[in-house]
Amino acid sequence: MRLKITHRTEYRYDAPVQYLLQRLRLLPVSGPTQTVLSWGLNIEGAREEVRFVDHFGNDTRLLSVEGDRDFITVEAAGEVVTRDTAGVSGPHQGFAPLWLFGHETPLTMIGGGIRELAASIGKGTDIERLHRLMAVIGERVAYTPGTTNAATPAEEALALKTGVCQDHSHIFVAAARAMGFPARYVSGYLMMDAAVEQAASHAWAEAHVSGLGWVAFDAANGISPDERYVKVATGRDYRDATPVSGIRLGQAEEQLAVTVTVEQ
């Protein structure tokens, strides 16, 4: 499937910002599930300081602002051809060792709720157990925007029984690790049926299965990602794969507006 994507992020401030650093992970790379035909960044109000591939394999850019700026816009856009591989993207690659994805992070700490969830999955093949985990998370955690935030840990979202795709992904990652699988968080895009404009970028999870490599699971939608998905960044949790993050100096109030469109 050939997908055309535009992701625009706009920051506006009520007073000039003296100094600001932004990290962008907005550039998909070609791989077993997708080929990037074209992709570019259009940046206003900031300058690119450096570009590099981080230890998770993410194409990363750093932006800076100095002086009296009261807005920044970043638009990432391009075309990607995707393939349906039933979620399988193959052997682990990159600088980060596979064992690192078996460790907890502050957002994926394994508490009593996660342990109970992992223990409830029962027996079967690795793939059967991971698909069952995805289904159980979907049954237990309702998709409800506004009930959690970017700092909500998996254990808390599981207890609340509500959240968004980020929370479903963190719960899956934490529980898969509790079951003995290396697991990671994925940020990217999903072409929703009958909707060009998306509420935001999307998130799902991957578990590493012996003999298959990384296999993707979207617990928010109850499927393994197909050709409607575009992977952009991966990491141990959301913080490693955040599309746009940064720091700024000063007291200015910030207003953020994000628009994402995905279409054929």
Side-chain angles (χ1 to χ4, degrees):
M1 182 178 290
R2 185 168 178 155
L3 298 177
K4 182 179 180 181
I5 300 163
T6 301
H7 181 173
R8 180 181 175 85
T9 305
E10 179 175 306
Y11 295 92
R12 290 201 172 272
Y13 305 94
D14 64 355
V17 175
Q18 297 301 313
Y19 184 73
L20 176 147
L21 282 177
Q22 291 277 24
R23 176 170 49 200
L24 310 181
R25 299 187 187 93
L26 291 168
L27 294 101
V29 298
S30 296
T33 62
Q34 62 191 32
T35 299
V36 180
L37 299 180
S38 64
W39 200 266
L41 291 177
N42 184 22
I43 300 165
E44 295 183 64
R47 67 170 179 269
E48 182 178 314
E49 293 286 356
V50 66
R51 60 180 64 184
F52 60 94
V53 176
D54 71 14
H55 46 297
F56 297 111
N58 303 319
D59 189 335
T60 307
R61 309 293 167 92
L62 293 183
L63 309 182
S64 73
V65 170
E66 287 185 87
D68 295 332
R69 293 285 189 179
D70 61 3
F71 77 96
I72 302 171
T73 61
V74 177
E75 183 174 285
E79 292 187 315
V80 181
V81 171
T82 58
R83 293 174 285 277
D84 185 358
T85 63
V88 178
S89 58
H92 178 67
Q93 298 179 343
F95 302 117
L98 185 59
W99 57 259
L100 187 65
F101 297 96
H103 286 210
E104 299 176 22
T105 66
L107 291 174
T108 59
M109 293 291 287
I110 300 172
I114 295 292
R115 287 194 184 88
E116 185 279 327
L117 171 63
S120 73
I121 299 306
K123 299 180 179 179
T125 67
D126 289 346
I127 285 294
E128 287 171 345
R129 298 175 70 215
L130 289 165
H131 275 281
R132 196 176 305 140
L133 172 62
M134 175 175 65
V136 171
I137 293 171
E139 292 167 0
R140 293 192 184 185
V141 183
Y143 184 90
T144 312
T147 56
T148 56
N149 57 56
T152 302
E155 188 75 29
E156 181 179 336
L158 181 62
L160 289 170
K161 300 181 179 180
T162 186
V164 293
C165 57
Q166 174 183 310
D167 304 298
H168 290 91
S169 302
H170 280 151
I171 294 168
F172 185 96
V173 166
R177 288 172 182 165
M179 293 163 62
F181 297 96
R184 64 186 181 185
Y185 183 97
V186 183
S187 70
Y189 304 107
L190 165 63
M191 187 184 75
M192 300 291 287
D193 295 335
V196 171
E197 187 164 338
Q198 314 296 315
S201 55
H202 193 49
W204 57 95
E206 291 183 338
H208 193 273
V209 179
S210 180
L212 290 175
W214 289 109
V215 183
F217 298 88
D218 180 359
N221 289 296
I223 62 170
S224 276
D226 54 23
E227 59 186 356
R228 297 172 300 151
Y229 289 71
V230 173
K231 182 190 299 186
V232 177
T234 62
R236 296 165 300 170
D237 62 23
Y238 169 75
R239 291 173 179 167
D240 292 334
T242 308
V244 182
S245 61
I247 59 170
R248 59 185 165 88
L249 301 181
Q251 301 300 317
E253 293 292 327
E254 178 182 274
Q255 288 189 328
L256 170 65
V258 178
T259 59
V260 178
T261 62
V262 184
E263 57 187 319
Q264 280 188 278

mmCIF file with all atom_site columns, all heavy atoms in Angstrom, residues 166-178:
data_model
loop_
_atom_site.group_PDB
_atom_site.id
_atom_site.type_symbol
_atom_site.label_atom_id
_atom_site.label_alt_id
_atom_site.label_comp_id
_atom_site.label_asym_id
_atom_site.label_entity_id
_atom_site.label_seq_id
_atom_site.pdbx_PDB_ins_code
_atom_site.Cartn_x
_atom_site.Cartn_y
_atom_site.Cartn_z
_atom_site.occupancy
_atom_site.B_iso_or_equiv
_atom_site.pdbx_formal_charge
_atom_site.auth_seq_id
_atom_site.auth_comp_id
_atom_site.auth_asym_id
_atom_site.auth_atom_id
_atom_site.pdbx_PDB_model_num
ATOM 1   N N   . GLN A 1 166 ? -0.895 4.588   23.780 1.00 0.00 ? 166 GLN A N   1
ATOM 2   C CA  . GLN A 1 166 ? 0.364  4.577   24.523 1.00 0.00 ? 166 GLN A CA  1
ATOM 3   C C   . GLN A 1 166 ? 0.266  3.668   25.740 1.00 0.00 ? 166 GLN A C   1
ATOM 4   O O   . GLN A 1 166 ? 1.196  2.904   26.043 1.00 0.00 ? 166 GLN A O   1
ATOM 5   C CB  . GLN A 1 166 ? 0.732  5.991   24.963 1.00 0.00 ? 166 GLN A CB  1
ATOM 6   C CG  . GLN A 1 166 ? 1.959  6.051   25.860 1.00 0.00 ? 166 GLN A CG  1
ATOM 7   C CD  . GLN A 1 166 ? 2.253  7.455   26.343 1.00 0.00 ? 166 GLN A CD  1
ATOM 8   O OE1 . GLN A 1 166 ? 2.304  8.382   25.543 1.00 0.00 ? 166 GLN A OE1 1
ATOM 9   N NE2 . GLN A 1 166 ? 2.430  7.624   27.633 1.00 0.00 ? 166 GLN A NE2 1
ATOM 10  N N   . ASP A 1 167 ? -0.862 3.731   26.448 1.00 0.00 ? 167 ASP A N   1
ATOM 11  C CA  . ASP A 1 167 ? -1.042 2.907   27.640 1.00 0.00 ? 167 ASP A CA  1
ATOM 12  C C   . ASP A 1 167 ? -1.183 1.425   27.284 1.00 0.00 ? 167 ASP A C   1
ATOM 13  O O   . ASP A 1 167 ? -0.599 0.558   27.940 1.00 0.00 ? 167 ASP A O   1
ATOM 14  C CB  . ASP A 1 167 ? -2.275 3.386   28.406 1.00 0.00 ? 167 ASP A CB  1
ATOM 15  C CG  . ASP A 1 167 ? -2.179 4.856   28.764 1.00 0.00 ? 167 ASP A CG  1
ATOM 16  O OD1 . ASP A 1 167 ? -1.255 5.226   29.498 1.00 0.00 ? 167 ASP A OD1 1
ATOM 17  O OD2 . ASP A 1 167 ? -3.021 5.631   28.274 1.00 0.00 ? 167 ASP A OD2 1
ATOM 18  N N   . HIS A 1 168 ? -1.966 1.118   26.250 1.00 0.00 ? 168 HIS A N   1
ATOM 19  C CA  . HIS A 1 168 ? -2.072 -0.274  25.807 1.00 0.00 ? 168 HIS A CA  1
ATOM 20  C C   . HIS A 1 168 ? -0.685 -0.827  25.460 1.00 0.00 ? 168 HIS A C   1
ATOM 21  O O   . HIS A 1 168 ? -0.363 -1.981  25.779 1.00 0.00 ? 168 HIS A O   1
ATOM 22  C CB  . HIS A 1 168 ? -2.983 -0.367  24.578 1.00 0.00 ? 168 HIS A CB  1
ATOM 23  C CG  . HIS A 1 168 ? -4.432 -0.096  24.866 1.00 0.00 ? 168 HIS A CG  1
ATOM 24  N ND1 . HIS A 1 168 ? -4.990 1.152   24.783 1.00 0.00 ? 168 HIS A ND1 1
ATOM 25  C CD2 . HIS A 1 168 ? -5.441 -0.927  25.240 1.00 0.00 ? 168 HIS A CD2 1
ATOM 26  C CE1 . HIS A 1 168 ? -6.282 1.089   25.082 1.00 0.00 ? 168 HIS A CE1 1
ATOM 27  N NE2 . HIS A 1 168 ? -6.576 -0.164  25.369 1.00 0.00 ? 168 HIS A NE2 1
ATOM 28  N N   . SER A 1 169 ? 0.131  0.000   24.819 1.00 0.00 ? 169 SER A N   1
ATOM 29  C CA  . SER A 1 169 ? 1.456  -0.458  24.402 1.00 0.00 ? 169 SER A CA  1
ATOM 30  C C   . SER A 1 169 ? 2.361  -0.682  25.606 1.00 0.00 ? 169 SER A C   1
ATOM 31  O O   . SER A 1 169 ? 3.088  -1.683  25.670 1.00 0.00 ? 169 SER A O   1
ATOM 32  C CB  . SER A 1 169 ? 2.084  0.574   23.452 1.00 0.00 ? 169 SER A CB  1
ATOM 33  O OG  . SER A 1 169 ? 1.262  0.774   22.327 1.00 0.00 ? 169 SER A OG  1
ATOM 34  N N   . HIS A 1 170 ? 2.329  0.241   26.569 1.00 0.00 ? 170 HIS A N   1
ATOM 35  C CA  . HIS A 1 170 ? 3.164  0.066   27.765 1.00 0.00 ? 170 HIS A CA  1
ATOM 36  C C   . HIS A 1 170 ? 2.746  -1.173  28.557 1.00 0.00 ? 170 HIS A C   1
ATOM 37  O O   . HIS A 1 170 ? 3.592  -1.898  29.076 1.00 0.00 ? 170 HIS A O   1
ATOM 38  C CB  . HIS A 1 170 ? 3.064  1.310   28.656 1.00 0.00 ? 170 HIS A CB  1
ATOM 39  C CG  . HIS A 1 170 ? 3.930  2.440   28.196 1.00 0.00 ? 170 HIS A CG  1
ATOM 40  N ND1 . HIS A 1 170 ? 3.623  3.757   28.430 1.00 0.00 ? 170 HIS A ND1 1
ATOM 41  C CD2 . HIS A 1 170 ? 5.096  2.450   27.500 1.00 0.00 ? 170 HIS A CD2 1
ATOM 42  C CE1 . HIS A 1 170 ? 4.561  4.517   27.912 1.00 0.00 ? 170 HIS A CE1 1
ATOM 43  N NE2 . HIS A 1 170 ? 5.465  3.761   27.332 1.00 0.00 ? 170 HIS A NE2 1
ATOM 44  N N   . ILE A 1 171 ? 1.450  -1.407  28.668 1.00 0.00 ? 171 ILE A N   1
ATOM 45  C CA  . ILE A 1 171 ? 0.973  -2.595  29.395 1.00 0.00 ? 171 ILE A CA  1
ATOM 46  C C   . ILE A 1 171 ? 1.438  -3.859  28.676 1.00 0.00 ? 171 ILE A C   1
ATOM 47  O O   . ILE A 1 171 ? 1.925  -4.809  29.306 1.00 0.00 ? 171 ILE A O   1
ATOM 48  C CB  . ILE A 1 171 ? -0.558 -2.570  29.524 1.00 0.00 ? 171 ILE A CB  1
ATOM 49  C CG1 . ILE A 1 171 ? -1.004 -1.400  30.409 1.00 0.00 ? 171 ILE A CG1 1
ATOM 50  C CG2 . ILE A 1 171 ? -1.085 -3.882  30.095 1.00 0.00 ? 171 ILE A CG2 1
ATOM 51  C CD1 . ILE A 1 171 ? -2.504 -1.116  30.364 1.00 0.00 ? 171 ILE A CD1 1
ATOM 52  N N   . PHE A 1 172 ? 1.312  -3.863  27.339 1.00 0.00 ? 172 PHE A N   1
ATOM 53  C CA  . PHE A 1 172 ? 1.763  -5.036  26.583 1.00 0.00 ? 172 PHE A CA  1
ATOM 54  C C   . PHE A 1 172 ? 3.261  -5.260  26.778 1.00 0.00 ? 172 PHE A C   1
ATOM 55  O O   . PHE A 1 172 ? 3.715  -6.386  27.017 1.00 0.00 ? 172 PHE A O   1
ATOM 56  C CB  . PHE A 1 172 ? 1.446  -4.873  25.092 1.00 0.00 ? 172 PHE A CB  1
ATOM 57  C CG  . PHE A 1 172 ? 1.771  -6.093  24.277 1.00 0.00 ? 172 PHE A CG  1
ATOM 58  C CD1 . PHE A 1 172 ? 0.786  -7.031  23.965 1.00 0.00 ? 172 PHE A CD1 1
ATOM 59  C CD2 . PHE A 1 172 ? 3.065  -6.333  23.840 1.00 0.00 ? 172 PHE A CD2 1
ATOM 60  C CE1 . PHE A 1 172 ? 1.094  -8.166  23.240 1.00 0.00 ? 172 PHE A CE1 1
ATOM 61  C CE2 . PHE A 1 172 ? 3.381  -7.472  23.110 1.00 0.00 ? 172 PHE A CE2 1
ATOM 62  C CZ  . PHE A 1 172 ? 2.395  -8.386  22.805 1.00 0.00 ? 172 PHE A CZ  1
ATOM 63  N N   . VAL A 1 173 ? 4.048  -4.183  26.659 1.00 0.00 ? 173 VAL A N   1
ATOM 64  C CA  . VAL A 1 173 ? 5.506  -4.310  26.795 1.00 0.00 ? 173 VAL A CA  1
ATOM 65  C C   . VAL A 1 173 ? 5.863  -4.857  28.180 1.00 0.00 ? 173 VAL A C   1
ATOM 66  O O   . VAL A 1 173 ? 6.676  -5.783  28.314 1.00 0.00 ? 173 VAL A O   1
ATOM 67  C CB  . VAL A 1 173 ? 6.172  -2.940  26.549 1.00 0.00 ? 173 VAL A CB  1
ATOM 68  C CG1 . VAL A 1 173 ? 7.630  -2.960  27.007 1.00 0.00 ? 173 VAL A CG1 1
ATOM 69  C CG2 . VAL A 1 173 ? 6.087  -2.573  25.070 1.00 0.00 ? 173 VAL A CG2 1
ATOM 70  N N   . ALA A 1 174 ? 5.271  -4.281  29.228 1.00 0.00 ? 174 ALA A N   1
ATOM 71  C CA  . ALA A 1 174 ? 5.590  -4.726  30.590 1.00 0.00 ? 174 ALA A CA  1
ATOM 72  C C   . ALA A 1 174 ? 5.188  -6.177  30.809 1.00 0.00 ? 174 ALA A C   1
ATOM 73  O O   . ALA A 1 174 ? 5.953  -6.977  31.374 1.00 0.00 ? 174 ALA A O   1
ATOM 74  C CB  . ALA A 1 174 ? 4.881  -3.817  31.595 1.00 0.00 ? 174 ALA A CB  1
ATOM 75  N N   . ALA A 1 175 ? 3.995  -6.551  30.365 1.00 0.00 ? 175 ALA A N   1
ATOM 76  C CA  . ALA A 1 175 ? 3.514  -7.922  30.579 1.00 0.00 ? 175 ALA A CA  1
ATOM 77  C C   . ALA A 1 175 ? 4.317  -8.925  29.750 1.00 0.00 ? 175 ALA A C   1
ATOM 78  O O   . ALA A 1 175 ? 4.630  -10.030 30.228 1.00 0.00 ? 175 ALA A O   1
ATOM 79  C CB  . ALA A 1 175 ? 2.028  -8.019  30.243 1.00 0.00 ? 175 ALA A CB  1
ATOM 80  N N   . ALA A 1 176 ? 4.652  -8.564  28.520 1.00 0.00 ? 176 ALA A N   1
ATOM 81  C CA  . ALA A 1 176 ? 5.459  -9.466  27.680 1.00 0.00 ? 176 ALA A CA  1
ATOM 82  C C   . ALA A 1 176 ? 6.818  -9.708  28.332 1.00 0.00 ? 176 ALA A C   1
ATOM 83  O O   . ALA A 1 176 ? 7.328  -10.834 28.334 1.00 0.00 ? 176 ALA A O   1
ATOM 84  C CB  . ALA A 1 176 ? 5.615  -8.877  26.281 1.00 0.00 ? 176 ALA A CB  1
ATOM 85  N N   . ARG A 1 177 ? 7.409  -8.661  28.885 1.00 0.00 ? 177 ARG A N   1
ATOM 86  C CA  . ARG A 1 177 ? 8.695  -8.835  29.588 1.00 0.00 ? 177 ARG A CA  1
ATOM 87  C C   . ARG A 1 177 ? 8.512  -9.743  30.799 1.00 0.00 ? 177 ARG A C   1
ATOM 88  O O   . ARG A 1 177 ? 9.375  -10.577 31.093 1.00 0.00 ? 177 ARG A O   1
ATOM 89  C CB  . ARG A 1 177 ? 9.239  -7.466  30.005 1.00 0.00 ? 177 ARG A CB  1
ATOM 90  C CG  . ARG A 1 177 ? 9.754  -6.644  28.836 1.00 0.00 ? 177 ARG A CG  1
ATOM 91  C CD  . ARG A 1 177 ? 10.111 -5.226  29.255 1.00 0.00 ? 177 ARG A CD  1
ATOM 92  N NE  . ARG A 1 177 ? 10.556 -4.450  28.099 1.00 0.00 ? 177 ARG A NE  1
ATOM 93  C CZ  . ARG A 1 177 ? 10.654 -3.115  28.089 1.00 0.00 ? 177 ARG A CZ  1
ATOM 94  N NH1 . ARG A 1 177 ? 10.343 -2.428  29.169 1.00 0.00 ? 177 ARG A NH1 1
ATOM 95  N NH2 . ARG A 1 177 ? 11.067 -2.489  26.999 1.00 0.00 ? 177 ARG A NH2 1
ATOM 96  N N   . ALA A 1 178 ? 7.411  -9.581  31.521 1.00 0.00 ? 178 ALA A N   1
ATOM 97  C CA  . ALA A 1 178 ? 7.144  -10.450 32.678 1.00 0.00 ? 178 ALA A CA  1
ATOM 98  C C   . ALA A 1 178 ? 6.979  -11.905 32.242 1.00 0.00 ? 178 ALA A C   1
ATOM 99  O O   . ALA A 1 178 ? 7.214  -12.828 33.033 1.00 0.00 ? 178 ALA A O   1
ATOM 100 C CB  . ALA A 1 178 ? 5.888  -9.974  33.402 1.00 0.00 ? 178 ALA A CB  1
#
